[in-house]
Amino acid sequence: MAPLPLALTVVGWLAPADAEASGAAISVEDDSGRRVTLAQPAERIIALAPHLVELSYAVGAGGQLVGAIDGSDYPPAARQLDRVGSYRGIPLELIVAKQPDLVLVWGSGTPASLIEQLERLEIPVYRSEPRKLEQIAGDLRGIGRLTGHSDAGEQAASDFEQALEGTSQQLSPAPRVFYQLGQSPLTTLAGGQIVTQVIRHCGGVPLFDDAPVLVPQIGWESLVEAQPEVILAAGNDDRWQAFWTSHDELPAVRDGALYTLDPDAISRPAPRMIQAVRQVCRALAETIR
C-alpha cells in the first residue's frame, strides 16, 4: 500500500470551513491527546466501534464509511456497511483492502497491536475514548472536521451540549446510585467511565467510583454497607430486577427504585447518550419526591 500524502503545514489560523476550502491541512486532537492531521478530508473511512459509526452519521459522513465492526446497527443504514471484523478479532488485511484514508478506533476497545500496525502503515488513526460527556461533543467536532463536515459536526456538537445543559440537575440530598454492569459476579463501573459522569450530571452519587479498576467486582457486604438508594442497569427488559426482589435490606429495593436503561444509549458515547441521560435524570428525580 502506498504511503499516504504528507500533510501540509498550516501557516496561521484558519476556521474549519476556511481550512477545508483552501486545501490546507486539517488537524485535530483526539481523545488520547494525539494530533491527527490529514492533507484533505477523508473520503474512505473505517469505524471500529458502533459509537464511531453513529458519530460519523451524525456529522454527515455516513456515506464515506467503507467498513464497520459487527454490532454497528444505528442508524439503520449502518446495517448495510461492509464488516471488517468483530470484538472477537479485526483482521488487518480486511482493513487494508478497503484502502481507508482514516480509521476511527475505540481507544480502550480496539486492540493496541492493531492500532500500532495501522500507524506503521501510515494510515491515519483517530482515537475516540470519551470519559466525560462533553468529550462526545469534541468527537463530533473532530470527526466532522476530518471528514469535511465541519459545519454539521459543529451543529451536532452544539445540539448535544445544549441538550446536556437542559438536563443537568442538583438533588438534595443526592441519592446514592449503584450501576449494575454484571450480575454474577456483581460488577459496576468506576469513576473513569462515562456512566459515572451521567450519574453525577443527574445529581446522584455513583457508588464505588473510587475503585482502582474500571470494572470493579463488588462484594455483597460492601454493597449492603453502601446502602444504594437507586439501582440502575441496562437491559432490553426488566428481568434483571428479579435478582433483587429478596434483598429489601437495600433502600433501593425496599423503595422500588430499580430502573432499566436503554442498553445502546447508555453504552455508546454518541448523540443518543442524551436519551440515557434523560432516563437517569428522571429516575433520580423520582427518589426525592
Side-chain angles (χ1 to χ4, degrees), residues 69-71 83-91 109 111:
I69 198 168
D70 281 355
R83 291 335 195 204
V84 295
S86 68
Y87 291 118
R88 294 183 297 275
I90 306 172

Side-chain angles (χ1 to χ4, degrees), residues 211-267:
V213 295
L214 291 180
V215 183
Q217 185 171 327
I218 308 302
W220 187 256
E221 290 184 359
S222 296
L223 186 64
V224 172
E225 183 178 353
Q227 289 287 284
E229 297 167 298
V230 178
I231 297 176
L232 306 173
N236 294 314
D237 52 50
D238 295 334
R239 284 181 292 181
W240 66 274
Q241 298 181 10
F243 170 82
W244 299 96
T245 55
S246 62
H247 297 294
D248 58 4
E249 68 269 35
L250 303 176
V253 178
R254 188 171 58 245
D255 298 337
L258 280 68
Y259 297 93
T260 303
L261 306 178
D262 180 286
D264 287 344
I266 193 63
S267 64

Side-chain angles (χ1 to χ4, degrees), residues 43-46 62-68 81-82 84 98-100:
E43 296 180 355
R44 297 181 62 82
I45 307 161
I46 288 178
Q64 291 149 260
L65 288 168
V66 296
L81 294 172
D82 288 347
V84 295
K98 293 292 185 183
Q99 298 184 315

Side-chain angles (χ1 to χ4, degrees), residues 164-212:
L164 276 181
E165 186 177 350
T167 56
S168 179
Q169 65 185 17
Q170 300 293 323
L171 301 177
S172 182
R176 297 184 301 277
V177 183
F178 178 67
Y179 180 79
Q180 176 193 310
L181 180 64
Q183 195 168 91
S184 182
L186 197 61
T187 57
T188 189
L189 296 172
Q193 294 283 2
I194 200 168
V195 172
T196 61
Q197 303 301 316
V198 172
I199 294 170
R200 290 193 181 281
H201 177 84
C202 291
V205 176
L207 297 177
F208 309 107
D209 71 330
D210 58 350

